[in-house]
Amino acid sequence: MQHLCLRHFLNNIFLLEMAATLCVKLLPKQGWLPLTQSVRHGSKAVTRHMRPMHFLKQKLMAVTQYVPPKRVIPRGAYPSKSKHMQEDSPFMLMMKRNVKAVFQESKMIAVVQNNGSNSEDMMILRHRLHKHGITVKFFPNQVMRSFLKDSVYSNMAPLFLCPTVLFVSKETKVKEMLVTLRGSPQMTLLGACIDNTLLSAQGVVNYSKLSSMTVVQGELVGGLTMLTSQTASMLHRQPAHLSALLQQYVKQQSSESGAEEASKAEEAS
């Protein structure tokens, strides 16, 4: 039964195809439209993909890439970036010469911060320091920084950022300076340059605890004298010991010879 139905279906399809063929041949082609028209919706399928560029070709493209030249700026269109150095005034040069003379003539230069002390306190402080041979100097921070910038004392420049005063002395009077500063709480020690050595505030305190030069020289001379005396005693010890041994040997020989003579005399009698 199924076989008959399939055969009947195939016959119908064949008859339809024959009818369509006859219609195409018999009907005129002008103005003819097909009975069915297929319409495609959606995007087209991508049938070709971009292949990745070879590594060597990428390097070649990067090397041969066009680099446009820089735009030439006409001279004078923009202001110059170079800083104009301002020349020092005659007063500034004179102050710098005074600072240079102070650094050359002084062994101790202490930088002290002035925390708003009045003129009377400053006068009392100067009088106390003058008793120990210490002088108070006032220089503007701008002058100090300008001088220190091109000198061997350039590491002292960070100390001059606030109102400061210089305590200057031709000798290292550190202990006297610290004792005097204890009576002036408005003055704070920031640092010092002693014997061409930059010290902090704590370093100045530690320096004041060291012995004086005369004491160190006396200890050095005493130590050298003791060493030389020990060396001389060690040099004289061997000859003295040798002479003592020789004397003992002579005494021993003389005693032995005396005993032999006594024994010979007894035998003869």
Side-chain angles (χ1 to χ4, degrees):
M1 186 68 183
Q2 294 178 357
H3 181 69
L4 293 175
C5 292
L6 180 61
R7 186 175 181 181
H8 181 67
F9 179 72
L10 294 174
N11 290 331
N12 291 335
I13 291 175
F14 178 73
L15 292 174
L16 289 173
E17 290 179 355
M18 290 295 294
T21 304
L22 292 174
C23 290
V24 170
K25 292 182 178 181
L26 294 177
L27 290 176
K29 293 184 178 181
Q30 294 180 357
W32 175 82
L33 294 175
L35 298 178
T36 58
Q37 184 177 4
S38 61
V39 179
R40 190 172 185 178
H41 299 279
S43 61
K44 296 182 179 180
V46 179
T47 58
R48 184 175 181 181
H49 298 273
M50 293 293 295
R51 297 176 62 183
M53 190 180 297
H54 195 268
F55 179 69
L56 295 177
K57 189 175 181 180
Q58 292 180 10
K59 293 176 66 176
L60 182 62
M61 294 293 291
V63 172
T64 57
Q65 185 179 5
Y66 173 72
V67 179
K70 294 183 179 180
R71 185 169 59 91
V72 180
I73 301 174
R75 183 177 297 179
Y78 294 97
S80 177
K81 294 183 180 179
S82 60
K83 296 182 179 180
H84 298 284
M85 299 299 294
Q86 185 177 2
E87 296 182 358
D88 295 333
S89 61
F91 178 73
M92 179 74 73
L93 295 175
M94 184 188 67
M95 295 288 287
K96 290 173 67 174
R97 284 195 297 268
N98 294 338
V99 174
K100 184 178 180 180
V102 167
F103 273 83
Q104 289 178 351
E105 297 174 359
S106 305
K107 291 185 178 180
M108 184 187 73
I109 303 171
V111 184
V112 183
Q113 181 180 356
N114 184 7
N115 297 318
S117 61
N118 53 29
S119 58
E120 183 178 359
D121 295 337
M122 184 60 65
M123 186 179 298
I124 295 173
L125 179 62
R126 294 181 68 176
H127 179 68
R128 291 177 179 175
L129 292 173
H130 185 70
K131 292 180 180 179
H132 304 290
I134 302 174
T135 309
V136 180
K137 297 288 184 179
F138 298 91
F139 293 104
N141 290 341
Q142 183 180 1
V143 176
M144 294 299 301
R145 287 195 294 266
S146 178
F147 166 75
L148 295 172
K149 180 178 61 176
D150 300 327
S151 67
V152 295
Y153 309 100
S154 57
N155 292 332
M156 294 181 66
L159 300 178
F160 297 93
L161 298 177
C162 54
T164 55
V165 180
L166 295 183
F167 290 173
V168 179
S169 175
K170 294 182 179 180
E171 301 294 334
T172 55
K173 303 294 185 66
V174 181
K175 293 182 180 180
E176 294 82 355
M177 181 188 66
L178 293 177
V179 171
T180 306
L181 283 176
R182 290 174 188 172
S184 301
Q186 67 274 13
M187 306 296 289
T188 305
L189 180 64
L190 300 179
C193 180
I194 301 174
D195 292 333
N196 295 327
T197 303
L198 181 61
L199 300 175
S200 62
Q202 186 61 37
V204 175
V205 175
N206 296 335
Y207 184 89
S208 65
K209 297 178 182 179
L210 298 176
S211 301
S212 61
M213 186 63 68
T214 56
V215 175
V216 174
Q217 289 176 355
E219 293 177 354
L220 179 60
V221 171
L224 293 175
T225 305
M226 184 178 64
L227 291 175
T228 53
S229 62
Q230 289 179 357
T231 304
S233 62
M234 290 177 65
L235 291 174
H236 290 291
R237 181 179 179 182
Q238 297 297 334
H241 184 62
L242 179 60
S243 63
L245 291 176
L246 291 175
Q247 291 177 4
Q248 184 67 25
Y249 179 74
V250 171
K251 290 180 180 179
Q252 186 178 357
Q253 292 292 330
S254 61
S255 61
E256 289 179 356
S257 61
E260 290 179 357
E261 290 178 357
S263 62
K264 288 180 180 180
E266 289 179 357
E267 289 177 358
S269 61

